[in-house]
């Protein structure tokens, strides 16, 4: 498998296109123009006459190298595999709002055809590496691509990291066992490291992630909140308090009337566990 640097560099090519689109999106917001991702579809960011030079196509070669030369196994070095997995996660994020053209369609097809299968293999043989790369603060060698390559503050890192996870969800990359391993870490990081006045910046991503109707997670609402509900039964008060604070984090950025499912779930959870004094 090698160290994965070549594959990572090719996958990073998609970031250039994504950054140009994000820059234009922010510019349009400041000017009061339409700021949806689809409003950018007719803008030529590459200024290239030939799509062969499109950075997005270069990232395609990175995927082909990945699936053909980098088959994960139990013996794959952790550092090499983590670097590749993290870069693949970033590639999903960079291509999430790709221009709806021939190149964009081609790159999008790679995800279900090849990449999700590769990630499924990683999850089967090295579950620990998948979890490691989904944490808010992974080990140093797993901090690859996107916001890790920039000088970002903690709030930006957390927000971008959640958006990266959100870009994986439609492809069934996030299983329930993975979710219950990494999501407590995210809620705890937000609770302890994000100032109250900046919680509103997490409104959109948390709304999408925790709304059972908006978020296509491949498991039920009970399983989605299972890592919280399990802490109300047989655990000391300090653990139950922490679980309540996590629930508070997931609700607070969202208007009360937008999250009735949280309230309904919480009431049923308390009744089920018999924790009437919580």
């Amino acid at each position: 498998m090698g160290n994965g640097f070549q594959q990572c560099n090719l996958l990073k090519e998609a970031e250039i296109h994504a950054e140009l689109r994000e820059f234009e999106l922010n510019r349009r917001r400041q000017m009061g123009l339409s700021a949806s991702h689809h409003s950018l579809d007719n803008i030529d960011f590459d200024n290239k006459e030939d799509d062969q030079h499109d950075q997005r196509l270069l990232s395609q070669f990175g995927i082909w190298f990945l699936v053909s030369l980098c088959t994960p196994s139990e013996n794959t070095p952790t550092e090499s595999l983590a670097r590749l997995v993290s870069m693949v996660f970033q590639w999903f994020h960079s291509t999430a709002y790709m221009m709806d053209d021939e190149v964009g369609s081609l790159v999008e097809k790679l995800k279900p055809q090849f990449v999700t299968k590769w990630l499924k293999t990683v999850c089967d043989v090295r579950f620990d590496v998948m979890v490691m790369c989904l944490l808010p603060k992974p080990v140093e060698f797993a901090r690859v691509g996107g916001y890790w390559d920039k000088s970002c503050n903690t709030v930006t890192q957390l927000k971008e990291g959640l958006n990266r996870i959100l870009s994986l969800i439609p492809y069934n990359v996030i299983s329930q066992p993975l979710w219950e391993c990494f999501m407590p870490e995210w809620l705890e990081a937000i609770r302890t490291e994000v100032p109250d006045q900046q919680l509103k910046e997490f409104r959109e991503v948390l709304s999408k992630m925790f709304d059972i109707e908006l978020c296509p997670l491949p498991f039920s609402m009970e399983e989605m909140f299972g890592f919280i509900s399990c802490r109300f039964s047989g655990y000391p008060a300090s653990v139950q308090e922490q679980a309540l604070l996590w629930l508070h984090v997931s609700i607070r950025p969202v208007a009360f009337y937008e999250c009735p499912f949280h309230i309904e779930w919480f009431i049923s959870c308390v009744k089920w566990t018999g924790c009437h004094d919580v």
Side-chain angles (χ1 to χ4, degrees):
M1 176 176 285
N3 55 28
F5 281 117
Q6 183 179 16
Q7 291 87 344
C8 286
N9 287 335
L10 284 171
L11 292 177
K12 282 184 180 182
E13 292 294 335
E15 288 190 50
I16 300 173
H17 190 84
E19 288 172 359
L20 289 172
R21 286 175 66 84
E22 193 62 31
F23 176 82
E24 177 64 17
L25 204 62
N26 290 332
R27 187 186 71 83
R28 293 173 72 87
R29 286 195 187 102
Q30 293 171 2
M31 296 177 63
L33 301 174
S34 174
S36 70
H37 284 277
H38 293 298
S39 68
L40 306 182
D41 283 350
N42 294 323
I43 299 178
D44 181 11
F45 292 101
D46 296 306
N47 293 320
K48 302 285 178 66
E49 295 180 357
D50 194 335
D51 273 344
Q52 290 180 357
H53 299 289
D54 194 319
Q55 289 93 344
R56 296 173 297 168
L57 283 177
L58 290 178
S59 76
Q60 171 186 281
F61 291 116
I63 293 299
W64 286 343
F65 278 127
L66 178 78
V67 299
S68 60
L69 301 177
C70 305
T71 303
S73 72
E74 294 179 357
N75 299 321
T76 302
T78 298
E79 183 171 342
S80 298
L81 186 57
R83 186 180 295 113
L84 286 172
V85 170
S86 291
M87 195 60 237
V88 169
F89 288 166
Q90 182 59 35
W91 178 79
F92 268 89
H93 182 53
S94 298
T95 58
Y97 297 103
M98 186 171 288
M99 192 186 308
D100 188 17
D101 58 4
E102 184 178 355
V103 178
S105 177
L106 181 63
V107 172
E108 186 64 26
K109 288 178 181 178
L110 294 174
K111 296 176 182 178
Q113 288 180 350
F114 301 107
V115 191
T116 55
K117 295 176 182 177
W118 186 85
L119 288 172
K120 176 67 166 56
T121 302
V122 175
C123 199
D124 289 341
V125 300
R126 292 299 305 273
F127 183 83
D128 60 315
V129 172
M130 286 287 284
V131 173
M132 176 193 304
C133 296
L134 289 166
L135 294 175
K137 293 183 178 180
V139 293
E140 193 69 31
F141 55 74
R143 301 183 181 191
V144 180
Y147 53 93
W148 292 121
D149 290 346
K150 304 172 186 177
S151 179
C152 299
N153 58 40
T154 300
V155 172
T156 299
Q157 288 177 355
L158 291 173
K159 188 168 58 175
E160 289 300 308
L162 284 175
N163 275 302
R164 187 161 79 169
I165 291 174
L166 195 62
S167 69
L168 298 170
I169 289 176
Y171 303 94
N172 290 339
V173 173
I174 305 300
S175 64
Q176 195 270 336
L178 281 172
W179 174 267
E180 67 180 13
C181 285
F182 69 75
M183 190 46 66
E185 301 288 337
W186 280 97
L187 294 181
E188 184 67 11
I190 295 172
R191 183 183 75 83
T192 57
E193 300 189 42
V194 177
D196 287 349
Q197 65 270 22
Q198 289 185 274
L199 276 175
K200 61 184 179 182
E201 297 181 27
F202 292 80
R203 174 190 176 106
E204 182 177 356
V205 64
L206 288 177
S207 296
K208 291 179 179 178
M209 192 168 285
F210 283 96
D211 190 329
I212 197 67
E213 295 180 356
L214 294 177
C215 182
L217 281 166
F219 40 88
S220 67
M221 184 173 68
E222 288 74 18
E223 291 173 315
M224 180 190 295
F225 290 98
F227 68 91
I228 294 180
S229 63
C230 70
R231 286 168 166 79
F232 290 119
S233 179
Y235 283 90
S238 59
V239 175
Q240 295 185 27
E241 180 184 11
Q242 184 184 45
L244 285 172
L245 291 171
W246 290 346
L247 185 63
H248 178 65
V249 166
S250 68
I251 291 177
R252 185 169 181 180
V254 187
F256 182 82
Y257 62 83
E258 292 179 343
C259 55
F261 61 92
H262 286 89
I263 308 303
E264 181 181 347
W265 167 83
F266 178 66
I267 293 173
S268 64
C269 172
V270 171
K271 288 181 178 179
W272 179 71
T273 58
C275 300
H276 302 292
D277 57 339
V278 174

